[in-house]
Amino acid sequence: MQSEIDAASVVRFHDRQLRERDWPVMSHGASSGVWEWIDANHRYNGLLWREEDRARRLDVPPAEIAAGKRLIDRYNQKRNDAVESIDEALLAGLRAVV
């Protein structure tokens, strides 16, 4: 994965992920640096949106919807954690800028 961060590279990364058949369940992205957190954020967004769609179903028992709501909360927290880690990684990279 490239190390440069700009809007176009993030969009290309997201587009590649969206083409993967088993995304967002499986990640095929970066494994280090800020890209690790961009990957996590994108993945948890996908998992969150998928679970939100499932929670809107009317043909399942309330207990299944409640379990889905708990997953939504978990994915939302993980997404927020990833955004904070993106911020930290970007700020760390800016320390050397004069």
Side-chain angles (χ1 to χ4, degrees):
M1 176 54 54
Q2 72 185 62
S3 61
E4 184 179 327
I5 302 295
D6 59 32
S9 60
V10 172
V11 169
R12 282 190 304 273
F13 175 79
H14 287 187
D15 287 346
R16 275 194 313 273
Q17 293 292 74
L18 292 172
R19 286 191 297 271
E20 294 293 338
R21 176 183 284 260
D22 56 359
W23 184 89
V25 174
M26 298 295 293
S27 175
H28 301 276
S31 60
S32 65
V34 68
W35 286 102
E36 174 184 3
W37 301 113
I38 291 170
D39 176 33
N41 177 256
H42 187 55
R43 180 172 178 256
Y44 286 118
N45 276 333
L47 290 168
L48 174 67
W49 297 331
R50 187 179 72 165
E51 201 57 46
E52 286 174 338
D53 287 343
R54 294 176 73 187
R56 292 182 185 96
R57 295 172 298 170
L58 301 174
D59 61 340
V60 296
E64 192 169 330
I65 299 300
K69 296 286 190 175
R70 285 189 289 281
L71 276 175
I72 289 168
D73 290 342
R74 185 178 320 146
Y75 293 147
N76 192 45
Q77 183 60 56
K78 288 184 175 288
R79 176 179 67 164
N80 292 339
D81 293 345
V83 169
E84 289 178 9
S85 294
I86 291 169
D87 291 347
E88 290 170 8
L90 291 174
L91 287 171
L94 293 174
R95 286 192 188 113
V97 175
V98 178

